[in-house]
Amino acid sequence: MKSHTLRNLCWLLALGFAGSTALAAAEVKFIHPENFADAGESGRDREQHLQQIAEHLQRQAEKFAPGKQLTFEVTDVDLAGEIEPVGRRMERLRVMRSVTSPRIEFRYLIREANQPDRQGEAQLRDLGYQMRGSRYWDSDPMRYEKRLLDDWFQAEFVPPKKP
């Protein structure tokens, strides 16, 4: 039991440092990741999923908001699907259903030239996540969450086309 608790503590410390490191354009912090609705089943899964979310936020910030500094405080993650026992061996697999849509919540601050530009909160959810196409491979386990973040960046930073 002690090694399990120690491993979880090490995971949280490592995640705190990994989540705070940032590329030039974005800083990503996970606020109480141990309380997230569903960031993965095991500590290793959670660490990998949150790292992928942080890296995706950083890449998208560089792409959509060059020259701006973004800070994200992720307050909740609920991955698409749900872990369920499947098959004769009752192996635990992530099963996708229409009622298990992805959800990510965060606070953000956008700065330009070290001056606050805008800030807010985002509660992202894609209820039709299985019905839409994606530019990500089916083998990417985070494809629905990445698309959710892509949609937010597109709406937040790309001006609508004029008729």
Side-chain angles (χ1 to χ4, degrees), residues 67-150:
K68 297 183 183 204
Q69 302 86 38
L70 283 75
T71 301
F72 295 96
E73 291 183 342
V74 180
T75 55
D76 200 8
V77 171
D78 190 357
L79 301 176
E82 197 169 87
I83 301 291
E84 297 181 12
V86 176
R88 292 176 60 181
R89 292 187 185 174
M90 302 303 279
E91 294 180 61
R92 299 180 59 75
L93 298 173
R94 186 164 293 274
V95 177
M96 305 297 173
R97 291 192 168 72
S98 61
V99 295
T100 58
S101 60
R103 180 176 50 83
I104 300 175
E105 298 179 6
F106 57 86
R107 294 183 292 267
Y108 63 93
L109 171 63
I110 303 169
R111 294 183 308 272
E112 192 164 7
N114 287 329
Q115 297 297 317
D117 184 22
R118 63 186 180 273
Q119 63 185 15
E121 293 186 21
Q123 297 177 349
L124 311 179
R125 179 168 226 144
D126 186 358
L127 296 175
Y129 76 104
Q130 293 178 302
M131 306 301 282
R132 300 179 358 173
S134 176
R135 66 185 189 109
Y136 300 101
W137 295 101
D138 286 346
S139 59
D140 184 343
M142 299 293 291
R143 63 190 174 276
Y144 300 117
E145 294 75 16
K146 288 177 181 178
R147 187 178 62 203
L148 193 62
L149 294 170
D150 292 351

Side-chain angles (χ1 to χ4, degrees), residues 23 26 28 49-64 72 104 135-136 140 142-151 153:
L23 300 174
V28 180
H49 293 148
L50 295 180
Q51 181 178 356
Q52 287 184 41
I53 289 171
E55 289 171 356
H56 194 72
L57 283 166
Q58 291 165 344
R59 277 192 304 273
Q60 296 304 84
E62 288 180 343
K63 177 180 175 182
F64 284 97
F72 295 96
I104 300 175
R135 66 185 189 109
Y136 300 101
D140 184 343
M142 299 293 291
R143 63 190 174 276
Y144 300 117
E145 294 75 16
K146 288 177 181 178
R147 187 178 62 203
L148 193 62
L149 294 170
D150 292 351
D151 292 347
F153 274 96

Side-chain angles (χ1 to χ4, degrees), residues 5-74:
T5 304
L6 181 59
R7 183 175 57 231
N8 286 342
L9 179 60
C10 290
W11 172 78
L12 288 173
L13 288 172
L15 185 60
F17 289 120
S20 295
T21 60
L23 300 174
E27 179 181 6
V28 180
K29 299 175 185 174
F30 294 100
I31 309 301
H32 301 294
E34 67 277 7
N35 296 332
F36 287 179
D38 175 16
E41 186 173 34
S42 69
R44 183 174 184 224
D45 282 348
R46 285 187 293 274
E47 181 180 351
Q48 289 176 346
H49 293 148
L50 295 180
Q51 181 178 356
Q52 287 184 41
I53 289 171
E55 289 171 356
H56 194 72
L57 283 166
Q58 291 165 344
R59 277 192 304 273
Q60 296 304 84
E62 288 180 343
K63 177 180 175 182
F64 284 97
K68 297 183 183 204
Q69 302 86 38
L70 283 75
T71 301
F72 295 96
E73 291 183 342
V74 180

